[in-house]
Amino acid sequence: VKQLQYGPECKNNRKHLHTPHFPEMSNLDEQETGRKEKRRQERACPPVKNPPRDEVKHAQMEGAMGCPRLDFFLGDVRDKGRLRRAMGAGVDIVVHAAALKQVLRCENDPEEAIKTNVLGSWNVALASMESDSVKKVLMLSSDKACAPTNLYGSTKLCAERLLIQANSYTPKGPVFSVLRYGNVMDSRGSVVEVFRACRNNDSHVPITHKDMTRFWLTLPQAARHAENALRMMHGGEVFVPKLKACRTLGSANFARRM
């Protein structure tokens, strides 16, 4: 397991690691975490394809970013044929972020979670291996994949194993690595939204346990971790960033005061 550290040991490489440009490369970014932040940091980058399933998100991103280098595809990671088409036109880098992430929803609909998080991830790997241009595939995973106690974490762990094992199938093809995130503040579906709703409704904040901790990172940090992992990866790594943690009760109280 490699850690993305920005302490004294990386002092000499910090400028190189934080450079957000990938010259002469085209990127495929699959929806969700930090997508707007990534787009802001990639305004000077080559063309980026983004295939979320929701056409409303297409319109929102096109209106917010106004970037001609963004190319949108309606699609689903469950559809391998659509992934092949998206990766078949000179895509060099694939950032696989599509997943069903709500823990309770995954528990209630396990089959759907498996279809998207596990089988969908394998479709991404297969489409990448069949592409003539893809060089790097980075899957965004979760800290819940470490010794999982729920179905969501289990599906992410399974997807991690599939992507890492894909390296043995393509000795001369793309390389596959994984980056584990914590809780991204203000991302869609974040618990911060729940905390704010409780504040607005003047209701109690539901927490699992007062001593539970969460690992937090901001949208710019999430995008920077992905950039650094793409630069450092050689295939087979599970990158675990060093993140700040705080008790959930403290996070809830802070959110209520925001």
Side-chain angles (χ1 to χ4, degrees):
V1 177
K2 287 193 175 182
Q3 292 182 330
L4 301 183
Q5 302 184 35
Y6 307 112
E9 64 275 20
C10 292
K11 184 175 181 180
N12 295 332
N13 296 327
R14 190 173 301 173
K15 181 177 179 181
H16 168 72
L17 289 175
H18 287 187
T19 304
H21 303 304
F22 297 89
E24 300 179 358
M25 285 193 173
S26 177
N27 309 315
L28 176 67
D29 179 22
E30 295 173 359
Q31 74 181 31
E32 307 308 347
T33 305
R35 61 189 188 279
K36 291 184 179 179
E37 183 62 34
K38 289 179 184 178
R39 297 295 80 77
R40 292 190 184 97
Q41 295 190 21
E42 291 174 354
R43 285 184 183 277
C45 289
V48 177
K49 295 184 180 182
N50 190 303
R53 290 183 292 172
D54 191 343
E55 68 274 14
V56 175
K57 293 177 185 176
H58 283 206
Q60 289 175 343
M61 284 191 65
E62 286 181 294
M65 305 310 299
C67 180
R69 288 183 291 272
L70 283 173
D71 193 3
F72 293 92
F73 283 77
L74 277 175
D76 193 323
V77 291
R78 299 183 185 186
D79 186 349
K80 187 168 64 176
R82 188 61 171 159
L83 288 173
R84 286 197 191 101
R85 183 172 180 182
M87 297 181 195
V91 171
D92 300 282
I93 296 173
V94 176
V95 179
H96 172 38
L100 297 179
K101 304 179 178 70
Q102 289 286 339
V103 173
L104 291 180
R105 299 285 74 77
C106 290
E107 294 293 333
N108 293 336
D109 298 295
E111 182 180 0
E112 298 304 308
I114 292 170
K115 286 179 180 178
T116 296
N117 297 358
V118 180
L119 301 181
S121 296
W122 185 236
N123 285 340
V124 171
L126 290 176
S128 301
M129 287 187 280
E130 295 171 5
S131 170
D132 294 329
S133 59
V134 174
K135 298 179 178 64
K136 293 183 177 183
V137 180
L138 180 68
M139 171 188 161
L140 302 186
S141 186
S142 166
D143 54 353
K144 296 180 179 65
C146 179
T149 58
N150 53 54
L151 182 72
Y152 168 65
S154 299
T155 60
K156 296 302 283 187
L157 177 60
C158 186
E160 286 185 6
R161 298 293 175 85
L162 286 171
L163 267 291
I164 296 301
Q165 182 62 22
N167 287 284
S168 65
Y169 303 145
T170 57
K172 297 183 180 180
V175 294
F176 299 83
S177 295
V178 172
L179 169 62
R180 284 183 180 172
Y181 274 171
N183 296 273
V184 182
M185 291 185 177
D186 276 347
S187 62
R188 191 173 65 89
S190 169
V191 71
V192 174
E193 295 180 355
V194 177
F195 294 160
R196 285 174 174 164
C198 293
R199 177 204 60 186
N200 296 335
N201 297 330
D202 197 24
S203 59
H204 293 290
V205 175
I207 60 174
T208 305
H209 193 280
K210 62 183 181 65
D211 293 327
M212 176 182 282
T213 59
R214 280 178 174 263
F215 294 98
W216 294 99
L217 70 163
T218 63
L219 285 172
Q221 288 173 333
R224 189 168 66 248
H225 284 316
E227 294 163 2
N228 292 341
L230 285 167
R231 289 195 174 280
M232 297 166 63
M233 64 182 283
H234 297 285
E237 301 93 344
V238 175
F239 292 100
V240 181
K242 297 184 70 173
L243 304 176
K244 293 183 178 180
C246 68
R247 292 170 59 194
T248 305
L249 182 59
S251 304
N253 290 334
F254 173 75
R256 287 176 64 89
R257 292 195 300 268
M258 289 173 62

